[in-house]
Amino acid sequence: MWRGVVVSLHTAPEHGAPTEERERVRAVAGRGLEGDRYFRDSAAGPGTGRAVGRSTGICEVSLIDIAALLAAERDHGVPLSPAECRRNIVCAGVPLAELAGQDFTIGAVRLRGTGLSEPCARLEHLTRPGVLRALLHHGGLRARVLTGGVMRAGDTVRPGAPAEPVPRAPSAPLR
């Protein structure tokens, strides 16, 4: 079984604004990340949690593996920093393609992968030429927040639901 780690967290206050690296961010079930451009005011509100016209499905949180960013520069000559990739969570050691349709946790926050995320023309427009080609089929994962909480850089990423503390039986006296 794999275990990954959060390398960095990013939010952008509005559409098109640069993303800002954050040490911690609050994830809210059904709404996304507080302070991010796609955070919904209401969990019951309309829309998919992403920009109008985006047809790729529900996305309250986006993830990418740092290996994809390193490969973009190494294999395609396209440098892209974690903040420039415009994904909320940059991780390492996480098989993102396996998480589409699966639950996983980041710290105590439970998420569900909703689908893979391909790079779009807007990303290339906001960054540099070649980004589409460099991240094709390596653009990351879209996810929904199922159980909220605070995520931090350095948190562990694991498959499945968070481990529940094992209740301890009272100690019996020794005989």
Side-chain angles (χ1 to χ4, degrees):
M1 182 178 294
W2 59 267
R3 179 184 284 189
V5 66
V6 173
V7 174
S8 59
L9 299 164
H10 306 267
T11 60
E14 59 189 43
H15 295 282
T19 61
E20 301 165 357
E21 186 169 350
R22 300 181 55 187
E23 282 298 313
R24 54 187 238 162
V25 64
R26 180 172 301 285
V28 180
R31 297 173 64 189
L33 302 181
E34 285 183 352
D36 190 54
R37 63 206 178 273
Y38 297 121
F39 184 74
R40 291 190 277 173
D41 291 334
S42 168
T48 62
R50 280 289 184 202
V52 174
R54 185 164 169 105
S55 63
T56 55
I58 294 172
C59 182
E60 297 166 356
V61 179
S62 57
L63 300 91
I64 194 166
D65 196 297
I66 190 75
L69 302 180
L70 297 172
E73 184 166 14
R74 181 189 66 237
D75 300 342
H76 300 279
V78 180
L80 198 62
S81 74
E84 287 178 308
C85 77
R86 304 193 62 76
R87 301 299 189 248
N88 298 120
I89 302 167
V90 178
C91 54
V94 179
L96 295 175
E98 295 177 17
L99 293 178
Q102 302 297 314
D103 290 2
F104 62 100
T105 62
I106 297 177
V109 176
R110 190 165 57 100
L111 302 106
R112 177 168 296 140
T114 58
L116 298 179
S117 183
E118 293 295 347
C120 63
R122 181 159 175 80
L123 176 61
E124 188 160 299
H125 172 75
L126 291 171
T127 57
R128 65 190 48 81
V131 167
L132 280 171
R133 178 179 41 91
L135 290 181
L136 187 63
H137 306 307
H138 302 285
L141 179 75
R142 298 181 313 275
R144 293 192 74 168
V145 180
L146 301 177
T147 305
V150 175
M151 291 188 284
R152 293 172 178 79
D155 274 355
T156 299
V157 184
R158 293 187 180 105
E164 296 293 326
V166 176
R168 292 188 164 191
S171 299
L174 294 175
R175 293 183 196 217

